[in-house]
Amino acid sequence: MAKLLYSASTSTDGFIAGVGGDMSWLTPYLGPNPTMDDVAARTGALLVGRRTFGGDDPYRDLPGEGEAFGGGWEGPQFVLTHRPPADPVPGVTFVSDLATAVARAREAAGDGYVNVLGADVARQCLAAGLLDEVLVSVAPVLLGDGVRLFDHPGGSTVRLEPVGVTQAPPVTNIWLRVVR
Amino acid sequence: MAKLLYSASTSTDGFIAGVGGDMSWLTPYLGPNPTMDDVAARTGALLVGRRTFGGDDPYRDLPGEGEAFGGGWEGPQFVLTHRPPADPVPGVTFVSDLATAVARAREAAGDGYVNVLGADVARQCLAAGLLDEVLVSVAPVLLGDGVRLFDHPGGSTVRLEPVGVTQAPPVTNIWLRVVR
């Protein structure tokens, strides 16, 4: 069964987007990253949060704007939302509940990963015991505020264990497995 | 002149303490870490925030409880506070303003680092243009809430550049220089 991998670029202080969902902070760090290329090659489907799907793009005004992995990936996308757009979007399926979205994404992914994009959908997958792995690409910048990698008011303790660490200077990729 | 290094263990989602300053989250990850031993050996003085000085200790009930670096370091400590304790503490100087605290810690550190401990004092050093380097030891856990590595409501962009990455499994140390 396809594994669920939450992958995100983060600031060193743990934000995946700036205030108001701003992604321009990431643009300076979009250099070659063989680990992310590897993830893209092993990804069979995307499970995307509504905010991420409709949100800002670090590739704005660059080649790859509006495309998954900046154009480095094509395939089926499943967007978790109660507010689907009026018109269909090619390649994108809008699903209103998590269990169905995960089941359909897993089916579409085959032997590949379901790549989870977006902090809120990743949090929901974690809470439901459905998330298998986490990959953070840590960029050398402090943001101080914005959308956090993981937001659980009141605190939580989600134990992870290392899979591997790679460098794509100036970014550090930390790949982890969720301990169940 | 001694450099100022902000060193902290963080969760993968960027918290240095849990809710209410709880440090017990870190206890499972206190294994051998040659990079931290190296930092301790090169540290000439500590500049410590009030909350960190009086706060919880990840070495609670372990050898090294109550000591800097869990007993791996001895030397002069400068605590930034407007509320010094009534009785003197051996080896600890309480200073009420940042500029004086940094100047005295630098003088005491000689050729070594001034190791900055505590998110709020580190934020003040950053804002004043006094911080030289940041070392985060990323532990494989998500906390979701607590005291953040860097907290700047409204957002900020502090650019860093890599110095080096080391692993002390399961912890990943990311050493960075503040770009001015």
Side-chain angles (χ1 to χ4, degrees):
Chain A
M1 191 166 64
K3 287 182 179 172
L4 265 64
L5 167 70
Y6 173 30
S7 74
S9 293
T10 76
S11 64
T12 301
D13 52 340
F15 295 98
I16 66 171
V19 173
D22 173 37
M23 291 303 296
S24 66
W25 72 272
L26 183 57
T27 308
Y29 310 107
L30 292 174
N33 188 335
T35 296
M36 289 312 300
D37 296 343
D38 177 43
V39 167
R42 295 163 66 188
T43 292
L46 302 186
L47 174 61
V48 187
R50 182 67 183 88
R51 188 164 56 175
T52 301
F53 180 73
D56 196 20
D57 186 343
Y59 289 90
R60 191 170 37 181
D61 303 328
L62 295 174
E65 176 174 356
E67 299 177 53
F69 291 91
W73 187 83
E74 286 185 18
Q77 302 189 30
F78 297 84
V79 174
L80 185 66
T81 179
H82 293 287
R83 299 173 285 116
D87 298 319
V89 180
V92 179
T93 304
F94 297 90
V95 186
S96 63
D97 78 280
L98 184 70
T100 305
V102 168
R104 294 199 58 183
R106 276 197 166 127
E107 189 182 356
D111 293 334
Y113 275 111
V114 173
N115 200 318
V116 179
L117 302 179
D120 193 58
V121 65
R123 181 191 56 73
Q124 292 181 54
C125 291
L126 262 172
L130 297 170
L131 196 71
D132 298 290
E133 299 178 16
V134 177
L135 170 61
V136 291
S137 298
V138 184
V141 62
L142 300 170
L143 296 179
D145 199 356
V147 180
R148 291 189 237 169
L149 175 71
F150 178 57
D151 197 354
H152 190 284
S156 182
T157 301
V158 179
R159 287 192 189 278
L160 309 168
E161 59 186 18
V163 173
V165 175
T166 57
Q167 291 180 260
V171 168
T172 303
N173 305 298
I174 304 179
W175 203 321
L176 304 142
R177 192 178 295 116
V178 177
V179 177
R180 293 212 180 92
Chain B
M1 190 166 64
K3 288 182 180 173
L4 264 65
L5 167 71
Y6 173 29
S7 74
S9 293
T10 77
S11 65
T12 301
D13 53 340
F15 294 98
I16 65 171
V19 173
D22 172 38
M23 291 303 295
S24 66
W25 72 273
L26 182 57
T27 307
Y29 310 107
L30 292 175
N33 189 335
T35 296
M36 290 311 300
D37 295 344
D38 177 42
V39 167
R42 294 162 67 188
T43 291
L46 301 185
L47 174 61
V48 187
R50 182 67 182 87
R51 187 164 55 175
T52 301
F53 180 73
D56 195 20
D57 186 343
Y59 288 89
R60 190 171 36 182
D61 302 328
L62 295 174
E65 178 175 356
E67 298 178 52
F69 291 90
W73 187 84
E74 286 184 17
Q77 302 189 30
F78 297 83
V79 175
L80 185 66
T81 181
H82 292 287
R83 299 174 286 116
D87 297 318
V89 181
V92 180
T93 305
F94 296 92
V95 186
S96 63
D97 78 281
L98 183 70
T100 304
V102 169
R104 293 198 58 183
R106 276 196 166 129
E107 189 182 355
D111 293 334
Y113 275 110
V114 173
N115 200 320
V116 179
L117 302 180
D120 192 60
V121 64
R123 181 191 56 73
Q124 293 182 52
C125 290
L126 261 172
L130 296 171
L131 196 71
D132 298 290
E133 298 177 17
V134 177
L135 171 61
V136 290
S137 297
V138 184
V141 63
L142 300 171
L143 295 180
D145 199 356
V147 180
R148 291 190 237 168
L149 175 71
F150 178 56
D151 197 354
H152 190 283
S156 182
T157 301
V158 179
R159 286 192 188 280
L160 309 167
E161 60 186 17
V163 173
V165 175
T166 57
Q167 291 180 260
V171 167
T172 304
N173 305 298
I174 304 178
W175 202 320
L176 304 142
R177 192 178 294 117
V178 177
V179 178
R180 294 214 179 90

